[in-house]
Amino acid sequence: MTSFNFSTWPPQLTPEQLEALTLAATTYALSHGLLYLPPSQLPSNTQPRIPTTAIHAPLSLIPAPFPRAQFQAARGLQSVYNVLYARVAMDTQFLDTVMGADEGVGKADEFTGTLWKGWKKIREHGVAQPLHLGLFRSDYLLHAAEDGLALKQVEFNTISSSFGPLSERAAAMHRNILASTSYFSASPYLTADNFPENSTTSGLAEGLAKAHEAYGVTDARILFVVQPNERNVFDQRWLEYELLERHQIHVVRQTLADLAISASLDPSTHALTITLPSTTNPSPYEVSTIYFRASYTPSDFLAPSYYDTRFLLERSRAIKCPSLPLQLAGGKKVQEALTRPGVLERFLSNESRKWGIRALDLTAHATNIRATWMGMWALDSEDVDVVAALDHLQASGQGQGNVPPGTRLAHLRAPSLVLKPQREGGGNNVYREAIPAFLDALPAEEREAWIAMEMIETPRGVSGYLVRASPSRSGTDDGSTEKKVVRTEVISELGIFGYALFGKGEEVVEREVGWLVRTKGTESNEGGVAAGFSVLDSVVLV
């Protein structure tokens, strides 16, 4: 148990020291590719095809304090989580029940239902590629429980788990500042032993390279499916460079709109090929692996034809990262379903060798996994424990009507809850005091698409120095520390990366590969850097 006093962080700095650290951080970031493309100045919000400028990513000057024991525990659990979600993705019946459009979330959530229907149709005609690749990130916050700090999971990401390469560079930036300034000896915790190494870029690239190798065509390419006008392009480029320089694997970047023209499927082999417009080499490239940095939100699908393109990719022999079932496995409804009695244990067990002869039985880890979860339930839930909680609050008879117990319990406990839909990318959740009015307006048929989760109550009083990524709101940035750096009370979220390459009857090839920290002001409920809510950070172990 750490005796660290979070309310004393960060250490005090003079204005001169703060300016020196800001200069060191921003120049390091600009020199080492810790970058974003600047916001577009065009009404259409488009980015130039060939960039001419870049800005440093939003960042923290001093790393966030995190207890060493919880940091190590999070990293140690990642391999169990890697295997768990691999097995969830391979359980078709479970996904049909939880996420499907006939009896699951897909009935209430059109986006989820469309993806599930596409997957169902594909598997009815035969799946061409039995292997799946997951590049995962499990996100945690510290929870200030009565008996001390506990590690609690926010969510588990199975698609477009971003900021690995940039977070590696944020950690390197903090180590460089430590080496060059010693942080002016402002805190005894700011020592090299408390700054853990981070090699996420090579680890994520290793996962992609293993999928490429499993595909078996050496000169095939890896396809990055990206969003148009992507500002976070450098986070993706570092993976591309690592694949080429360390593994000699070429990458092709395409949007869904591009692929509608460039992608084709061999009718006999199901090989996916990409033909790029070129005057020098118009021959098509075969694709070994498809890495999705898009297609996780309805806004990525501007027309029904975009879904057709996504399903064409899924029908191919290329290994998908993620496949449609693995993308569905990352749904919040799955996260909630796993908390139900016996469900987690069924996936961790290898009774009757149901996951394969060489598959591990991981039931011994169930207690530690469950310890990372907050309480959660479905808004349409009528489970016994939800009804019991209503009885405990002496509210079981209040305003029942046709409102299910799960929704009524969420009403009563709103100040301590967050509501989550089946969405990724930030900005989608409903918090605390906003919940009652939201539930009153939520159509009954949409309740099944939402879960209620107890809020993680983070340590109070910890602050940080957050560095703006772009000019101030006035539209000017004269480089002054006052306009660029904000000291504010913060919350820091730890993400642990891992990969898993797997298929039915195959041993899960997996590894934990690194970490990130995102820090946000306490006034912001959301945590997405790309969505503009937080900054990139690293940890100082305490």
Side-chain angles (χ1 to χ4, degrees):
M1 186 67 62
T2 180
S3 59
F4 181 79
N5 185 352
F6 283 85
S7 64
T8 64
W9 199 261
Q12 291 296 319
L13 297 168
T14 67
E16 293 77 17
Q17 290 170 341
L18 188 61
E19 182 169 344
L21 294 180
T22 304
L23 177 62
T26 55
T27 52
Y28 184 96
L30 292 166
S31 302
H32 290 79
L34 182 50
L35 301 174
Y36 261 26
L37 290 178
S40 173
Q41 301 302 312
L42 300 175
S44 60
N45 201 36
T46 56
Q47 290 287 341
R49 188 168 183 84
I50 300 177
T52 57
T53 59
I55 58 175
H56 66 76
L59 50 89
S60 175
L61 278 188
I62 301 179
F66 207 91
R68 188 181 300 270
Q70 278 88 344
F71 181 78
Q72 293 171 343
R75 299 192 75 172
L77 286 174
Q78 187 62 33
S79 283
V80 183
Y81 270 115
N82 291 342
V83 175
L84 170 62
Y85 275 84
R87 291 176 178 178
V88 169
M90 292 186 288
D91 192 327
T92 300
Q93 182 177 354
F94 176 80
L95 287 176
D96 284 351
T97 301
V98 175
M99 299 296 286
D102 292 339
E103 53 181 317
V105 167
K107 290 191 302 180
D109 186 287
E110 182 180 5
F111 177 60
T112 301
T114 302
L115 295 180
W116 179 84
K117 289 174 184 176
W119 172 46
K120 184 174 184 288
K121 186 175 181 180
I122 289 167
R123 68 187 197 233
E124 287 172 350
H125 289 83
V127 174
Q129 177 53 260
L131 293 178
H132 316 243
L133 175 66
L135 296 187
F136 301 138
R137 195 186 71 227
S138 185
D139 293 335
Y140 301 93
L141 289 171
L142 290 175
H143 179 58
E146 292 183 0
D147 56 349
L149 293 176
L151 184 74
K152 294 296 182 178
Q153 188 183 63
V154 178
E155 63 182 358
F156 191 89
N157 301 277
T158 64
I159 184 169
S160 190
S161 302
S162 58
F163 290 109
L166 290 196
S167 292
E168 176 181 331
R169 281 152 184 82
M173 176 196 72
H174 285 144
R175 288 196 302 274
N176 178 270
I177 295 174
L178 176 68
S180 62
T181 71
S182 300
Y183 277 102
F184 303 105
S185 301
S187 167
Y189 291 100
L190 293 170
T191 64
D193 290 344
N194 295 331
F195 284 48
E197 291 288 331
N198 190 348
S199 56
T200 303
T201 307
S202 62
L204 294 175
E206 177 185 296
L208 290 164
K210 284 188 178 295
H212 176 85
E213 181 182 1
Y215 184 82
V217 178
T218 304
D219 60 352
R221 302 197 171 195
I222 292 179
L223 170 64
F224 282 21
V225 182
V226 299
Q227 294 173 322
N229 304 309
E230 174 65 77
R231 291 184 58 215
N232 188 28
V233 65
F234 301 102
D235 186 61
Q236 302 167 9
R237 289 290 188 183
W238 282 117
L239 275 180
E240 180 180 339
Y241 304 150
E242 182 77 9
L243 285 166
L244 182 61
E245 293 166 11
R246 181 170 296 202
H247 301 281
Q248 294 74 54
I249 301 171
H250 290 264
V251 166
V252 178
R253 294 172 57 86
Q254 296 273 276
T255 65
L256 286 173
D258 294 333
L259 289 164
I261 300 170
S262 65
S264 61
L265 216 59
D266 186 291
S268 57
T269 67
H270 295 279
L272 175 68
T273 56
I274 305 295
T275 303
L276 302 178
S278 172
T279 57
T280 58
N281 185 17
S283 60
Y285 300 111
E286 185 170 353
V287 172
S288 68
T289 307
I290 307 171
Y291 175 44
F292 287 98
R293 292 292 291 256
S295 82
Y296 56 82
T297 178
S299 61
D300 285 337
F301 296 86
L302 300 179
S305 60
Y306 284 60
Y307 286 103
D308 295 338
T309 301
R310 174 64 184 89
F311 298 148
L312 179 142
L313 300 179
E314 191 73 18
R315 293 200 310 272
S316 77
R317 193 165 65 88
I319 297 172
K320 273 70 69 177
C321 178
S323 60
L324 282 172
L326 185 53
Q327 179 173 347
L328 292 170
K332 304 301 185 293
K333 190 74 169 184
V334 169
Q335 184 183 13
E336 180 269 322
L338 288 171
T339 69
R340 301 173 192 170
V343 177
L344 170 67
E345 289 74 12
R346 180 173 72 82
F347 281 107
L348 295 183
S349 168
N350 193 32
E351 185 179 355
S352 303
R353 296 181 175 179
K354 60 185 174 183
W355 302 115
I357 296 174
R358 293 179 294 175
L360 298 175
D361 189 302
L362 299 172
T363 49
H365 298 278
T367 300
N368 289 336
I369 290 290
R370 285 192 177 276
T372 66
W373 294 340
M374 299 297 288
M376 61 188 84
W377 64 90
L379 290 187
D380 64 331
S381 175
E382 298 181 356
D383 290 350
V384 172
D385 55 345
V386 172
V387 174
L390 279 172
D391 289 340
H392 180 71
L393 293 171
Q394 299 181 336
S396 59
Q398 297 179 9
Q400 292 187 27
N402 294 321
V403 180
T407 300
R408 295 185 352 244
L409 185 60
H411 248 293
L412 290 168
R413 295 185 57 188
S416 62
L417 297 179
V418 54
L419 302 185
K420 296 184 175 184
Q422 312 306 305
R423 290 291 180 272
E424 303 297 333
N428 302 298
N429 299 336
V430 182
Y431 292 85
R432 300 187 190 267
E433 287 74 16
I435 288 175
F438 174 82
L439 290 176
D440 290 341
L442 184 68
E445 63 273 14
E446 294 183 19
R447 290 176 185 142
E448 191 171 359
W450 291 78
I451 68 166
M453 176 177 164
E454 295 173 348
M455 284 290 292
I456 302 171
E457 303 296 348
T458 56
R460 300 283 182 171
V462 61
S463 295
Y465 292 106
L466 310 185
V467 183
R468 300 177 189 272
S470 56
S472 63
R473 292 184 180 180
S474 65
T476 62
D477 185 357
D478 60 7
S480 66
T481 306
E482 295 81 6
K483 289 186 177 180
K484 201 166 184 66
V485 181
V486 177
R487 176 175 171 143
T488 186
E489 190 172 343
V490 297
I491 297 170
S492 294
E493 184 173 300
L494 173 70
I496 306 296
F497 289 97
Y499 73 75
L501 179 65
F502 60 94
K504 285 190 176 180
E506 301 285 339
E507 184 178 8
V508 178
V509 178
E510 61 80 26
R511 192 164 75 85
E512 178 268 316
V513 298
W515 51 273
L516 67 72
V517 177
R518 292 170 296 173
T519 292
K520 63 183 180 182
T522 54
E523 72 280 358
S524 171
N525 283 315
E526 299 289 352
V529 178
F533 297 113
S534 60
V535 306
L536 294 173
D537 206 341
S538 70
V539 295
V540 52
L541 299 179
V542 297

